[in-house]
Amino acid sequence: MTARIGVVTFPGSLDDRDTQRAIRLAGAEPVALWHKDKDLKQVDAVVLCGGFSYGDYLRAGAIARFSPVMEPLIEQAKTGLPVLGICNGFQILTEAHLLPGTMLRNNHLHFICRDQKLRVENAETAWTSDYTAGQEIHIPLKNIDGQYVADQHTLDTLESEGRVAFRYLDVNPNGSNNDIAGVTNEAGNVVGLMPHPEHAVEPLIGTGRTDGLPFFTSILKKLVNA
């Protein structure tokens, strides 16, 4: 039976089709979810994709957090549903308090678009098991509200519990605390990151590498072996 992975589209989402394609390349079935859907169509996992949901008015992800689709997503994520938030999706997950911390405007106040080097810090989550801890990868990055910040207690907790999933290497592109590019919840089923793995799944696009594909093969193996 093919694993079904939902991809939520909000008004202003930009990368839903790219994410669906990445899921298909990994061997799973992408399922389109609309922000007004009040159920998740019995999917096995969900991706909140990048973009500018609701124009990022108020704060990035602040309005999307209250979309009808988020009510069942929050409820099911708390009981184990795998959820991946990419860029704007990461911002939404912090607004929904499924992940700690918050996202501020880049410290240089400019939109940034570049290929970014990352180090995999946690290869034991539902979305990162096809990596190895310490592995260095290249993933496209594009954001203006990408500065990850949290209070010192939260940062200490993330570091001590191994919940920093990815860290920026060579350059911190947005001023994020501790060079954090992505984090996971305590259970490891919810992961958020600013770079875009869906743009690094084929050698002819993005970085010219396939460093992002293991996100989607990881969750497929997790679901198949569940």
Side-chain angles (χ1 to χ4, degrees), residues 31 62 66 72 84 88 95 97 125 150 186 191 204:
V31 177
F66 293 101
L84 174 65
N88 192 228
E95 289 288 337
H97 303 297
T125 78
E186 188 173 357
V191 172
L204 293 179

Side-chain angles (χ1 to χ4, degrees), residues 72-139:
L73 186 147
I74 292 170
E75 180 180 343
Q76 293 183 42
K78 290 179 178 179
T79 59
L81 177 74
V83 179
L84 174 65
I86 302 170
C87 195
N88 192 228
F90 186 13
Q91 295 160 347
I92 295 168
L93 290 177
T94 63
E95 289 288 337
H97 303 297
L98 288 174
L99 290 175
T102 193
M103 314 302 300
L104 299 181
R105 184 134 299 189
N106 296 341
N107 62 341
H108 46 72
L109 304 181
H110 294 288
F111 181 86
I112 188 169
C113 184
R114 55 170 289 152
D115 291 341
Q116 178 66 47
K117 189 175 181 180
L118 305 175
R119 182 171 61 238
V120 180
E121 300 284 16
N122 185 332
E124 299 180 2
T125 78
W127 298 93
T128 61
S129 61
D130 262 1
Y131 294 108
T132 57
Q135 183 176 350
E136 296 181 4
I137 60 177
H138 292 79
I139 302 289

Side-chain angles (χ1 to χ4, degrees), residues 181-205:
V183 300
T184 178
N185 68 341
E186 188 173 357
N189 63 303
V190 180
V191 172
L193 79 160
M194 287 309 295
H196 287 259
E198 78 280 11
H199 295 326
V201 295
E202 296 178 285
L204 293 179
I205 61 172

Side-chain angles (χ1 to χ4, degrees), residues 147-193:
Q147 183 182 179
Y148 180 81
V149 299
D151 63 81
Q152 193 60 51
H153 174 73
T154 298
L155 292 172
D156 291 344
T157 300
L158 290 172
E159 296 287 0
S160 65
E161 294 181 355
R163 290 169 54 194
V164 175
F166 297 90
R167 211 180 300 270
Y168 297 116
L169 288 184
D170 294 345
V171 63
N172 185 327
N174 44 39
S176 293
N177 292 169
N178 294 16
D179 299 326
I180 291 173
V183 300
T184 178
N185 68 341
E186 188 173 357
N189 63 303
V190 180
V191 172
L193 79 160

